[in-house]
Amino acid sequence: MLGETNLNLVPSETAVRQMDALHGTAWHRELLAASSHVARRERTRSRYLRKRTGDTRDLRYDYIPEEDPEAEQSQHYENGLALPDSPSCMSPLQKWFVSRIDSIGIETWETMLSYNISSLAYMYKHHVSGADGSSEYFGVRGERTDEMLDNHASMQSFWTRADSQKVSVHDEAAGLHIVSNPHRMGGPGNVILLGMHGTDLADNAKLVATLQQMYRIDGRDAYGIAASIQEIIKGLPDGFNNPVLTANAVATQTMKMDGSRGERDSIIVGDGVYDFLDYLDLETDGTSYIHSHEFAHHLQYDLGVDQMVDGLSRSEEMRRWEMMADSFGSYFLSHSEGGRMDQTRLLEVHRAAFSLGDCENSIETHHGTPRQRECASNFGSNLGFVSFVDG
């Protein structure tokens, strides 16, 4: 098993920078929040059982220190067992991750976290595969491919027209003026759409190349680690199609001005995203929200509004960035020349925005509470409705 390897695997500085885009997403943050919740719950359960049975130690959790400041909190009872209270605000996404981690088991999950297994599919797709968007499929069986490609073409067309006509849709939704951005890579038409799949990790060549890039290790060591990782994944529910391996959607800007090294501006949507939306019964319009939100980030890159605003803290700036993307995305979805969604469908869009909010407002990557995200989506869609009157 990985936990028994003698190798000290530390991601390279380049890999750490490459994973920053992934780790800054709402998906990854809620995954870590869910992981912490499960760990606290298991810690409390373990201590309760030790006291009840008189054992001096618990073989499964003896590595967890007894002195834990997080353990001093209010409790609730589950089947007679006192457990830490759930956070007063736990997003639907975090609840879903908790259920998925529970199905995996805390020990296996902590091993997966330690070795960045939940980041590997992203690292392969964006930084190793060299994919150019020409032969992508979406969904475990490709069942979402037509929908995703059609939506992407519609977004490219809509925002390219807006860009070429120099209309005020960007300013209207953002509340600011267009500024020059030296990182601009050709506008909305440059954004490619990529699918992220856990099954890529079953391919030795793909996984070994990814591990070598991440850890700067030789081929022999990479093959050994790959075999261990694959054994762990095979033991998961649904194996390589387990949704936690790919539950993320990421908008990534190219690292080079000419878009070389296979790193053109991209949107990567993992198969796990569709599983989460199915869980919420939002499999259609929820997907449109996530896709349009990620596309909106590329508009922000092109407009230069990714730059810090004077007077805002890092967490305030992050909320501004994410909720602006919510507004941009829903503006498109409601616009007469965009998604043309009616109020009934937009309610589902707003529910999807709500589901990706969080309550970790003390951390820098806080994206906005569920209600704030919902309101930002509603604001953008209301701006788009004006197009049916004004043309």
Side-chain angles (χ1 to χ4, degrees):
M1 296 291 289
L2 278 178
E4 299 168 352
T5 182
N6 291 323
L7 289 174
N8 182 23
L9 294 178
V10 178
S12 67
E13 290 184 9
T14 299
V16 170
R17 288 195 301 271
Q18 291 170 338
M19 287 191 289
D20 279 346
L22 182 75
H23 293 171
T25 66
W27 299 84
H28 187 79
R29 188 192 54 259
E30 290 300 88
L31 175 63
L32 294 185
S35 180
S36 296
H37 172 77
V38 172
R40 287 195 303 270
R41 188 192 64 203
E42 293 304 312
R43 203 152 46 228
T44 302
R45 179 179 284 117
S46 173
R47 288 168 181 158
Y48 171 83
L49 292 175
R50 287 203 302 272
K51 291 178 181 178
R52 183 177 179 182
T53 62
D55 290 345
T56 58
R57 61 193 292 269
D58 183 293
L59 294 177
R60 291 182 61 200
Y61 295 103
D62 62 348
Y63 60 88
I64 300 174
E66 288 290 342
E67 297 302 323
D68 179 6
E70 291 186 90
E72 300 298 326
Q73 54 185 298
S74 60
Q75 295 178 321
H76 71 279
Y77 286 83
E78 179 181 302
N79 297 324
L81 174 60
L83 297 174
D85 269 349
S86 298
S88 58
C89 170
M90 181 184 282
S91 72
L93 179 58
Q94 187 175 334
K95 291 178 182 177
W96 178 75
F97 273 131
V98 167
S99 70
R100 288 298 178 179
I101 294 170
D102 282 341
S103 71
I104 291 172
I106 187 63
E107 288 183 293
T108 299
W109 175 246
E110 288 179 345
T111 299
M112 292 172 65
L113 274 183
S114 298
Y115 289 87
N116 294 301
I117 292 177
S118 62
S119 302
L120 291 174
Y122 166 78
M123 289 294 290
Y124 166 72
K125 175 59 72 169
H126 188 67
H127 297 288
V128 177
S129 73
D132 62 4
S134 62
S135 58
E136 295 296 309
Y137 71 95
F138 300 90
V140 170
R141 296 172 298 279
E143 69 277 8
R144 311 304 292 265
T145 301
D146 290 345
E147 167 199 352
M148 293 295 291
L149 294 179
D150 287 347
N151 284 345
H152 197 71
S154 180
M155 291 175 205
Q156 286 183 313
S157 176
F158 177 83
W159 290 113
T160 298
R161 289 198 308 274
D163 187 51
S164 63
Q165 295 167 9
K166 301 187 184 302
V167 296
S168 62
V169 291
H170 305 89
D171 305 271
E172 185 179 17
L176 41 76
H177 297 291
I178 293 177
V179 295
S180 176
N181 180 12
H183 302 296
R184 183 178 176 84
M185 284 298 304
N190 185 63
V191 180
I192 62 175
L193 181 63
L194 305 174
M196 180 165 56
H197 313 290
T199 51
D200 284 334
L201 305 181
D203 185 312
N204 278 338
K206 294 177 180 179
L207 181 53
V208 166
T210 302
L211 292 170
Q212 287 185 287
Q213 175 152 323
M214 285 180 66
Y215 298 114
R216 296 292 188 260
I217 54 180
D218 63 32
R220 181 176 179 178
D221 287 337
Y223 269 101
I225 296 167
S228 297
I229 288 174
Q230 288 168 338
E231 281 302 307
I232 289 175
I233 297 176
K234 288 176 184 177
L236 302 179
D238 299 319
F240 289 93
N241 288 323
N242 189 288
V244 299
L245 299 174
T246 55
N248 214 320
V250 191
T252 306
Q253 193 181 29
T254 185
M255 293 184 178
K256 284 192 173 184
M257 293 295 288
D258 62 359
S260 61
R261 295 198 304 165
E263 293 178 354
R264 292 177 61 195
D265 293 351
S266 67
I267 294 170
I268 300 178
V269 181
D271 293 338
V273 170
Y274 309 116
D275 190 278
F276 169 64
L277 294 172
D278 287 346
Y279 161 81
L280 294 177
D281 291 326
L282 291 173
E283 56 271 15
T284 300
D285 293 330
T287 305
S288 297
Y289 158 74
I290 288 170
H291 193 168
S292 64
H293 173 94
E294 298 304 328
F295 203 103
H297 282 318
H298 285 289
L299 303 178
Q300 292 172 298
Y301 293 140
D302 281 348
L303 292 170
V305 296
D306 54 324
Q307 300 163 22
M308 290 287 288
V309 173
D310 292 341
L312 295 182
S313 67
R314 177 68 179 128
S315 61
E316 289 172 330
E317 175 65 24
M318 180 61 75
R319 288 199 301 276
R320 164 185 171 270
W321 172 258
E322 293 299 330
M323 288 189 283
M324 186 191 300
D326 287 334
S327 295
F328 277 177
S330 293
Y331 178 92
F332 161 78
L333 293 174
S334 69
H335 199 281
S336 62
E337 297 183 26
R340 297 184 63 87
M341 287 188 179
D342 59 22
Q343 285 281 18
T344 300
R345 295 183 65 189
L346 285 167
L347 286 175
E348 299 296 274
V349 169
H350 305 330
R351 188 157 72 91
F354 177 94
S355 299
L356 267 71
D358 69 85
C359 297
E360 287 79 42
N361 56 9
S362 62
I363 63 176
E364 289 188 347
T365 56
H366 173 53
H367 282 35
T369 66
R371 193 64 68 192
Q372 287 172 335
R373 300 290 299 273
E374 178 186 39
C375 288
S377 176
N378 189 58
F379 172 74
S381 67
N382 286 340
L383 291 177
F385 277 136
V386 176
S387 66
F388 286 91
V389 177
D390 294 345

